[in-house]
Amino acid sequence: MSQLFVGRLPRDTQSSELERIFEKYGKMSRCDVKRGVNSCYGFVEFAETKDAEDAIKQCDGMTVQGERIVVEMATGAAKRRNDSSCFRCGTEGKYSRCGVAWL
């Protein structure tokens, strides 16, 4: 599986819109939109690496609602919903902010 990072998304982007953009490149196993304080970004995971590479070639720099998006291979491992480890250090029982337990 290959996971893509999709950055610079417009703030009101929904997962369904991201799915419509990327579904033509192959079978997806994940498509999520995340919102930060001043940003909106997403992750798309393809079953096949070739599909992810094709999506990068076609979608990097694409305009979505007037914004040029960035599409690249994600650098970290996918965080699963049932994973109870810190996304920074991997310690069990923490969910965020390395050094602070959020139990």
Side-chain angles (χ1 to χ4, degrees), residues 31-100:
C31 185
D32 294 326
V33 171
K34 308 289 185 186
R35 285 174 182 74
V37 175
N38 294 315
S39 63
C40 184
Y41 56 94
F43 293 98
V44 177
E45 188 172 72
F46 285 96
E48 302 292 329
T49 301
K50 174 80 170 93
D51 297 337
E53 291 169 347
D54 290 345
I56 290 171
K57 288 177 191 169
Q58 296 299 315
C59 298
D60 186 38
M62 170 189 283
T63 302
V64 175
Q65 298 178 30
E67 301 287 336
R68 278 189 82 200
I69 65 171
V70 173
V71 182
E72 57 191 30
M73 287 289 188
T75 56
K79 175 114 170 110
R80 301 293 177 197
R81 293 184 198 277
N82 61 352
D83 186 357
S84 63
S85 61
C86 176
F87 67 88
R88 289 187 185 198
C89 71
T91 302
E92 282 292 315
K94 292 184 346 184
Y95 299 98
S96 179
R97 296 194 181 157
C98 195
V100 178

